């Protein structure tokens, strides 16, 4: 298997609950699963954690699962059009990622959206940011509303959980890699999962360019070129 060349199998699979390694974040994963399935006992959930902790993955997974249950969802972010923040009773699940990046106008729009969702018992909102609500650089009114429901901190994966997540990434992409590739990545690359998954994707492209297998020598060559400022194109 380690001699098999990587194949270009298209884009990676979208984020889902199935390809999320929860680690110590089972409570957050379960809460979002319930809401995506239509349970409205908890209608506001705020997830926070460091970059790569999985909050964006979980918000996207919840929207995808909600669609499978016949629910209309809408994704919001700091760059979303202002009219996207307008309440629509047909939307049952709202997600608001990277809350800390909202400008003053969208903070005000988010404040009114929270109030409208609160008044509609069929709607729910899931939000994510890099700090707990009270520490966000937002208006006091919006910070208060972000803390209305469950506030859950996402914990980083430990090394065994990171290895499991990386093997899932490799398998989902249909790649064949030697075990020492994963071990080396965990000790020589950036350790957050977003960066590690991006490295796997870039390494796959690098292997295709050179028509070589995903082995430790190839990974070392790839990382050396990255340190030299070359992403592997030359």
């Amino acid at each position: 298997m380690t001699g098999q060349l990587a194949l270009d199998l298209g884009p990676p699979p979208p984020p889902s609950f199935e390809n999320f390694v929860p680690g110590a974040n089972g409570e957050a994963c379960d809460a979002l699963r319930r809401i995506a399935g239509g349970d409205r006992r908890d209608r506001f959930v705020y997830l926070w954690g460091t970059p790569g902790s999985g909050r964006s993955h979980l918000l996207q997974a919840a929207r995808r699962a909600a669609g499978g249950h016949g629910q209309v969802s809408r994704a919001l972010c700091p760059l979303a059009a202002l009219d996207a923040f307008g309440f629509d009773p047909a939307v049952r699940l709202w997600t608001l990622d990277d809350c800390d990046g909202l400008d003053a106008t969208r903070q005000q729009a988010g404040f009114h959206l929270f109030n409208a969702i609160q008044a509609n018992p069929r709607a729910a909102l899931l939000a994510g940011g890099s700090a707990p609500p009270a520490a966000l650089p937002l208006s006091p009114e919006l910070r208060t509303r972000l803390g209305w429901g469950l506030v859950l901190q996402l914990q980083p994966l430990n090394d065994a959980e990171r290895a499991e997540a990386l093997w899932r990434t490799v398998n989902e992409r249909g790649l064949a890699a030697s075990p020492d590739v994963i071990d080396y990545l965990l000790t020589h690359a950036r350790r957050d999962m977003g960066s590690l998954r991006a490295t796997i994707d870039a390494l796959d492209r690098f292997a295709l360019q050179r028509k070589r297998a995903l082995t430790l020598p190839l990974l070392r060559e790839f990382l050396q070129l990255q340190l030299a400022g070359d992403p592997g194109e030359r």
Side-chain angles (χ1 to χ4, degrees), residues 7-228:
L7 301 176
D8 187 1
L9 299 177
S16 69
F17 291 121
E18 288 69 30
N19 58 25
F20 181 74
V21 176
N25 303 309
E27 181 183 0
C29 194
D30 290 344
L32 267 61
R33 277 184 185 271
R34 291 195 305 270
I35 293 171
D39 189 329
R40 291 295 180 265
R41 285 173 292 178
D42 294 307
R43 297 200 295 121
F44 293 91
V45 177
Y46 177 80
L47 303 178
W48 67 279
T50 57
S53 59
R55 63 178 189 265
S56 295
H57 184 122
L58 283 176
L59 295 184
Q60 294 177 54
R63 289 199 309 273
R64 191 161 179 260
H69 289 281
Q71 298 186 72
V72 177
S73 65
R74 181 179 297 177
L76 301 173
C77 68
L79 298 179
L82 187 58
D83 60 3
F85 286 79
F87 181 74
D88 181 346
V91 177
R92 298 296 181 86
L93 181 66
W94 303 74
T95 61
L96 175 56
D97 204 0
D98 297 324
C99 297
D100 30 336
L102 293 171
D103 61 22
T105 302
R106 285 167 178 78
Q107 288 180 46
Q108 185 68 16
F111 168 78
H112 292 298
L113 176 61
F114 267 82
N115 291 339
I117 292 173
Q118 173 69 11
N120 187 326
R122 296 180 298 175
L125 187 143
L126 312 174
S130 60
L136 293 174
L138 302 174
S139 67
E141 296 82 8
L142 185 54
R143 290 201 304 264
T144 297
R145 277 150 183 78
L146 287 169
W148 264 354
L150 295 176
V151 175
L152 302 171
Q153 181 182 7
L154 296 179
Q155 302 296 329
L157 299 178
N158 61 34
D159 283 348
E161 292 159 351
R162 283 191 179 94
E164 178 187 351
L166 283 181
W167 276 117
R168 287 195 186 187
T169 298
V170 167
N171 292 331
E172 286 166 356
R173 286 150 177 75
L175 307 178
S178 57
D180 50 7
V181 166
I182 302 299
D183 294 338
Y184 196 86
L185 270 177
L186 289 172
T187 55
H188 292 81
R190 291 179 57 183
R191 294 173 61 80
D192 66 277
M193 287 309 306
S195 296
L196 287 168
R197 289 192 176 100
T199 299
I200 290 289
D201 290 334
L203 181 61
D204 180 31
R205 294 190 296 270
F206 185 76
L208 283 168
Q209 292 167 1
R210 281 151 171 75
K211 297 182 172 59
R212 291 167 58 187
L214 296 184
T215 60
L216 184 55
L218 182 79
L219 173 60
R220 285 174 170 156
E221 180 183 338
F222 170 76
L223 293 177
Q224 288 172 357
L225 289 173
Q226 279 199 323
L227 288 174

